[in-house]
Amino acid sequence: MTLTHDNPADDFGDADWLAFAYVAGELAETELTAWEARLAEGDVEACEAVARTVELVGVVAESGRVDAVVATAAGESNAAGGLRSVVVAAAAVCLSLVIGLSLQTSDPVRVAGPDADMLLSTWADGVGGEVAETDAEVMEPELVVPDWMIAAVALPAGMDGEDDE
Amino acid sequence: MTSGDGERIDPSEVERWFHQFGGPLRSFLLGVTSDPEAVDEAFQATFTRAMEAGHTARTETLKGWLFRVAYNEAMLAGRKRQLRDRSLKRLAERPRTETATPEELASLDESIRGVRELIEELPVEQQAVVRKRIYEDKTFKVIAEELDAPLGTVLTRMRSALAKLHRRLAERDEVDER
C-alpha cells in the first residue's frame, strides 16, 4: 500500500471499498454476483480485501465498544451513587420518624443497653440528646432497634455514598 | 509440496500454512459468513482439505488456492446453517481471538486506541457516518436520510474515513513486521 498520496481515498482501492460494501451487505445484486465470483476463484486481491475489512471493522467496533463500556460504567456509577444516597437518606428519615414516635409515646422508652451498636449510641447521643440521657438515668429503659434500621446503618463501607463523585 | 510418496503433503507444510495464512483466512471467512461458528467449521474444513489435496496446490498460487478452498467451505457451512444476511454488527460482536498471544493482544489494544483517536480526529461529518454505519449498523440509505445528505456524499465520507483508518492499521502492521 502506498502512503504517499495526499488524498486519503487514493490509497483505499476499489477492492477495499467493494469488500467493505460486501461485508456490510450493501452490494447490489449484480455487484454482489461479480464480487462473489472473484472470491470463489480465489482472487487474492479480493479475498485479502475482505480479510482486511473484517479486521478494520473489528478494531473500529471495538474502539466504539470501549467508549460504550466507559460511558455505561460512568452511568452505572452515577446511578449506584444516586441509589446509595437515596438509601442513606431514607434510612435517616426512618430513624428520625422512629425516634420521634418513640419520644411521643406514653410507653416507657427503651434505650440502648451497654451492648448496643456504637453507631446507634452515637446517633442517640447526638439526636436524642438530653431527653434520652435523662430518661435513661431515671428509667434505664432499652431501645428496641428494628432489623431494617440495623441493616440501613450497617451498609457496607463501599455503599456509604462517599464515592458518588 | 509432497511428503515423498507423491500423494500426500507433508503435515509440517500445512502447519506452516496455518501459521502464515491462518489469520487472514479466518478474517476472510468471517467476512464471507458473518457467523463465528460457521467460521470455525469452515476454517477446520479448509485445513483438512489442505491435508488431503494441498499437494495439488502450486507455490506461486498457494494463497489463492487456500482462499478458494476456504470460500467453498464457507458456502457449505453457510448452506448448512442457513446463514442470515451479512451485518457489520454481527462482525463487530465477535469475541477477540482465543489464540492471540499477549503480544498480539497488546498490539490490538494499541490499534484500538489509535483508531479511537483517529476517529475523534476525523471531520465531524465523517465521524457521524462511521458511527452510524459501524456502531449502529444503519444502512447508507438510512444514514443519508437521517443526515439529510445525498447518498453519494455519505458514501464519499465513509470511504474517506475508511481510507484513513485503513492507513492507520497498515502502519501498525508495518511496525509489527519490523
Side-chain angles (χ1 to χ4, degrees), chain A residues 66-136:
Chain A
V66 170
D67 287 345
V69 166
V70 170
T72 304
E76 285 175 352
S77 176
N78 289 337
L83 180 60
R84 283 194 292 272
S85 299
V86 168
V87 168
V88 171
V93 169
C94 291
L95 283 170
S96 302
L97 284 172
V98 168
I99 295 305
L101 290 171
S102 297
L103 294 176
Q104 288 174 5
T105 183
S106 57
D107 294 340
V109 177
R110 291 187 292 176
V111 177
D115 58 344
D117 183 272
M118 177 69 76
L119 181 59
L120 288 178
S121 300
T122 305
W123 168 82
D125 289 345
V127 177
E130 296 175 3
V131 175
E133 191 174 316
T134 303
D135 288 347

Side-chain angles (χ1 to χ4, degrees), chain A residues 1-26 32 35-67 70, chain B residues 23-25 27-34 63-65 67-68 71-72 75 86-88 91-94 96 108 111-113 115-116 119-120 130-131 133-135 137-141 155-156 158-160 162-167 169-172 174:
Chain A
M1 173 184 293
T2 175
L3 299 175
T4 56
H5 298 294
D6 292 333
N7 183 346
D10 284 350
D11 55 14
F12 190 70
D14 285 342
D16 287 299
W17 180 237
L18 285 169
F20 179 81
Y22 170 70
V23 300
E26 294 259 17
L32 179 62
W35 180 256
E36 287 184 333
R38 289 179 69 179
L39 299 182
E41 290 166 4
D43 180 329
V44 173
E45 184 191 21
C47 294
E48 285 188 328
V50 170
R52 279 195 302 270
T53 297
V54 169
E55 292 302 312
L56 178 65
V57 168
V59 173
V60 173
E62 186 108 15
S63 73
R65 192 152 47 227
V66 170
D67 287 345
V70 170
Chain B
L25 277 172
S27 296
F28 169 71
L29 287 168
L30 190 56
V32 171
T33 66
S34 292
K63 195 188 279 188
W65 185 87
F67 276 126
R68 191 165 66 245
Y71 184 81
N72 289 334
M75 291 298 103
R86 263 178 278 282
S87 153
L88 288 185
L91 283 186
E93 286 169 353
R94 79 191 201 276
R96 287 185 178 198
L108 179 61
S111 295
I112 290 167
R113 274 197 301 276
V115 164
R116 197 159 81 233
I119 289 174
E120 288 167 0
V130 168
R131 290 183 199 282
R133 189 65 192 82
I134 296 183
Y135 298 170
D137 203 19
K138 291 177 176 168
T139 65
F140 287 127
K141 186 169 177 286
L155 294 176
T156 301
M158 187 74 200
R159 184 166 178 164
S160 185
L162 284 174
K164 292 171 191 168
L165 295 167
H166 194 262
R167 181 188 295 172
L169 288 186
E171 287 171 355
R172 178 204 69 172
E174 285 176 10

Side-chain angles (χ1 to χ4, degrees), chain B residues 83-125:
Chain B
L83 294 179
R84 293 169 286 170
D85 291 337
R86 263 178 278 282
S87 153
L88 288 185
K89 195 170 186 178
R90 295 182 64 215
L91 283 186
E93 286 169 353
R94 79 191 201 276
R96 287 185 178 198
T97 174
E98 302 83 3
T99 56
T101 65
E103 291 78 16
E104 287 168 339
L105 287 175
S107 173
L108 179 61
D109 285 339
E110 193 176 331
S111 295
I112 290 167
R113 274 197 301 276
V115 164
R116 197 159 81 233
E117 288 168 7
L118 184 57
I119 289 174
E120 288 167 0
E121 291 168 8
L122 290 173
V124 179
E125 301 80 14

